[in-house]
Amino acid sequence: MSDLNHPTSDLIYQLDDKPPFFQALLGAVTHLLALFVPMVMPALIVGKALDLSADTTAYLVSMVMIASGIGTWIQVNRYGPMGSGLLSIQSVNFSFVTAMIAIGTAMRSDGIHEELILSSLLGVSFAGAFLVVGSSFVLPYLRRIITPTVSGVVVLMIGLSLIKVGIIDFGGGFSAKSAGTYGNYENIGVGLLVLLVVIGFNCCKSPLLRMGGIAIALVAGYIASLFLGLVDFSTYQNTAFITVPVPFKFGFSFNFTHFLVVAIIYILSVLEAVGNLTATAMVSNQPIKGEVYQNRLKGGVMADGVVSVIASALGSLPLTTFAQNNGVIQMTGVASSYIGRFIAVILVFLGLFPSIGWFFTTIPAPVLGGAMTLMFSMIAIAGLRIIISNGLRRRETLIVATSLGLGLGVSYDPQIFSILPPSLYILAENPICVGGLTAIILNLLIPVGQPRGAANEEEPDMLADELEAMLDIPDAERDLPDMAMSAENKRVI
């Protein structure tokens, strides 16, 4: 393995280069093709899961694009200590999807209107973003508390919890359940078509086809849905020409119990951002040790927090640095942060036109379900890989098994902790919260044993090696810093 401080990847344009206009524009479009679908899907998933109106969902999608553009501009330009200065793209953090759905569903079942639901969700997101800003000053301490084992458990729980959302949409979604068409031949057929197209393109040798597989599959599923009459265009007639961002459009409310759920994911997102920034620095031929690297991490995480404050105020889900573009950098050999300015401007421009956001709301549930079922399963696999990267010694096995048992058990029967007061019950019924808190507490309480390779730890490590071989984890990934591995849940989407 090459020295991590001196990467060997060939770049056509280095970080500080300025490609000609048309080459920069082409590079920006290439990045957007790999990023756009996973960028807007979280808003669509939350909108469908909470049964939000088409107008509200379209607004959320538009604000995601505008906030992502603002965040990307801040990251690539670096203002004072804020920003990484790398070609770091900002996008919605998938980790928040499950928490938002769980909190919103509980409020919806109590008969609360969608505007009040969003005011609460975005209110706690707004407040929690300041935790990320503060975390940028204490990164070394967070690493000692949130180890790869802890972050791996949380990522694993996120994937396993979201699979239920994906499979419901696969069968037609909640609207199909109400209409009595859930699981019919049309819905299952479209879902299977999308799933098979994603698998087929991911088996291609071309990196470009692999990255575009999800987008191509969604297009194929959408066309099939048109022929089957599953696409509803009835809401288009009321669509405005331009979307005007309105700060706190849905109001602002704060619930401390909801905040605790979101706060845990915010802290974990800090480590994801560190991993993503480390990976971007590596493929951009930038150092991943020393003062320059540490300043990039601090500035990147600080920008994540500030951008999430802006995003939540505008009506977008929280943002973080994305990792998909790292593959684009490697494929194209272009790491110029100058391209990030083009990406930022294009995203803001697209977000201003509600027709674009509205179009995404017309994607039928089976189309999304076919892609999401696989994507969410891959997130779960990513969590397992993060866990394995730290070894499965006796201590780690106990932490993972206990956290997984309690977290997954709660997802099967949330009523088990109904005896708790309402303020605690909403935490106890969230599988990510239960699994993550269990992992954090056990990680702090269970003493660290002998280092890896000790005689009495040999058998569990053999198990880890077998699992590593089964999952085909490259040697280079195993050698990456622990914090870089926390980005794995983003690279698989």
Side-chain angles (χ1 to χ4, degrees), residues 35-46:
L35 298 168
F36 200 75
V37 173
M39 179 179 292
V40 301
M41 279 192 73
L44 294 175
I45 295 168
V46 171

Side-chain angles (χ1 to χ4, degrees), residues 137-157:
F137 298 96
V138 292
L139 285 177
Y141 303 100
L142 283 178
R143 183 179 177 181
R144 297 172 187 173
I145 298 173
I146 313 295
T147 64
T149 299
V150 173
S151 59
V153 166
V154 174
V155 173
L156 179 59
M157 289 307 310

Side-chain angles (χ1 to χ4, degrees), residues 441-460:
I441 293 171
L442 292 180
N443 182 59
L444 293 174
L445 294 180
I446 299 178
V448 179
Q450 293 180 329
R452 182 169 182 149
N456 63 341
E457 301 289 345
E458 183 176 353
E459 184 177 347

